[in-house]
């Protein structure tokens, strides 16, 4: 029995899920934290229903935003349906935050004293195949001489540690080809009534995995997009953000594609 077979049952979701896989736009949309499912073998990780719905478990609103944006841009959306508390697919699997024992004041009992084999099962079942699918799609597009702009979709809680966050959205970037990220930031900042953070509310750094792992080595233009979760709680908010991001992404295209 393989490690992945021992964790995910046959009727449970695959760790890499596609929406509009045949989309022809140069964008490849990612949703590292788009779901909050927990494999049945892990029970509830000892969490209450309330904690399983909180921001600690997933990026609230990203699944709906990714689907809407995939349709608007005619771009594929590849997302991961399992909770970041099972295994965080935007962390190096060796990083302590890959399966945290605490998150924003909540204990994660199922992650306390996690054994190496248990962590390896989660990596093999979820983290590794998700990232293998991203790498395979980038390779397929390269072989077909199709340009790729990697857009990692995330959301953030309006307040953390008792401090309100004033940004409606943020664009994260660091090394590699930052042209698209900077153009996208400028485009969003030009839209009325938006407060858009430049590497806020987080900085892209060594804790991030997806963009550094896939975009930097391949020299791909990219942006990590963070949207505040209270803007994605209702369908109207998702639609509004889809329209704004569609407009800004389209306007930023000439920064990397003639």
């Amino acid at each position: 029995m393989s490690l992945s077979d021992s964790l995910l049952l046959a009727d449970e979701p695959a760790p890499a899920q596609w929406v509009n896989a045949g989309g022809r736009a140069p964008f490849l949309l990612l949703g590292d934290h788009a779901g909050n499912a927990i494999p049945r073998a892990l029970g509830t990780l000892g969490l209450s229903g309330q904690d399983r719905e909180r921001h600690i478990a997933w990026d609230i609103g990203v699944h709906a935003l990714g689907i809407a944006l995939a349709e608007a841009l005619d771009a594929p959306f590849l997302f991961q349906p399992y909770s970041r508390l099972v295994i965080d697919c935007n962390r190096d699997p060796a990083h302590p935050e890959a399966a945290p024992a605490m998150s924003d004041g909540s204990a994660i009992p199922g992650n306390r004293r996690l054994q190496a084999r248990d962590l390896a099962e989660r990596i093999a079942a979820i983290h590794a195949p998700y990232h293998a699918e991203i790498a395979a799609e980038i390779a397929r597009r390269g072989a077909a001489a199709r340009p790729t702009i990697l857009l990692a979709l995330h959301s953030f809680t309006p307040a953390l540690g008792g401090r309100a966050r004033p940004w409606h959205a943020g664009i994260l970037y660091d090394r590699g080809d930052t042209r698209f990220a900077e153009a996208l930031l400028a485009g969003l900042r030009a839209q009325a009534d938006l407060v858009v953070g430049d590497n806020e509310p987080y900085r892209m750094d060594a804790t991030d995995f997806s963009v550094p792992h896939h975009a930097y080595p391949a020299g791909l233009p990219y942006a990590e997009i963070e949207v505040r979760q209270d803007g994605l709680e209702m369908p109207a908010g998702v639609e509004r953000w889809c329209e704004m991001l569609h407009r800004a992404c389209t306007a930023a295209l000439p920064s990397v594609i003639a």
Side-chain angles (χ1 to χ4, degrees):
M1 179 181 291
S2 72
L3 289 173
S4 59
D5 286 342
S6 69
L7 183 61
L8 295 183
L9 301 178
D11 64 340
E12 292 187 288
Q17 302 274 327
W18 285 101
V19 172
N20 194 28
R24 300 305 300 171
F27 303 109
L28 174 57
L29 310 177
L30 301 182
D32 299 335
H33 306 143
N36 62 348
I38 299 175
R40 291 203 295 277
L42 301 181
T44 65
L45 293 176
L47 295 166
S48 67
Q50 182 179 10
D51 273 342
R52 294 197 303 274
E53 294 295 329
R54 289 180 63 210
H55 72 94
I56 62 172
W58 60 331
D59 280 355
I60 296 167
V62 159
H63 182 255
L65 178 63
I67 291 173
L69 201 53
E71 180 179 354
L73 290 170
D74 188 25
F77 174 43
L78 176 60
F79 70 92
Q80 196 285 107
Y82 291 96
S83 173
R84 66 197 301 169
L85 298 177
V86 175
I87 187 73
D88 191 329
C89 285
N90 194 33
R91 295 292 182 266
D92 187 298
H95 195 282
E97 292 182 6
M102 290 285 298
S103 185
D104 193 22
S106 291
I108 319 300
N111 289 349
R112 286 203 302 261
R113 296 182 293 277
L114 193 63
Q115 298 297 307
R117 176 178 173 82
D118 297 328
L119 179 60
E121 284 182 335
R122 299 183 192 189
I123 294 166
I126 298 169
H127 194 287
Y130 173 67
H131 284 287
E133 187 66 13
I134 297 171
E137 176 63 11
I138 290 171
R140 286 191 291 264
R141 294 163 74 100
R146 290 183 58 194
T148 297
I149 301 168
L150 203 64
L151 296 182
L153 304 179
H154 292 266
S155 68
F156 63 95
T157 183
L160 188 66
R163 299 184 64 179
R165 290 158 144 182
W167 309 279
H168 299 107
I171 301 299
L172 280 55
Y173 58 97
D174 182 23
R175 294 178 286 119
D177 187 344
T178 64
R179 292 175 296 163
F180 186 84
E182 293 177 79
L184 182 60
L185 173 64
L188 285 173
R189 283 182 160 177
Q191 298 191 40
D193 302 324
L194 282 186
V195 179
V196 184
D198 183 344
N199 275 306
E200 298 285 2
Y202 310 106
R203 296 198 65 81
M204 181 171 285
D205 56 25
T207 63
D208 288 278
F209 186 78
S210 294
V211 165
H213 185 71
H214 295 287
Y216 293 178
L220 300 179
Y222 68 89
E224 186 165 318
I225 301 170
E226 291 272 0
V227 179
R228 202 171 67 196
Q229 288 165 359
D230 55 357
L232 298 174
E233 290 175 344
M234 303 296 289
V238 171
E239 182 179 354
R240 175 173 178 264
W241 272 105
C242 177
E243 291 172 356
M244 290 190 294
L245 288 171
H246 177 219
R247 187 161 56 244
C249 286
T250 303
L253 262 181
S255 68
V256 291
I257 297 178

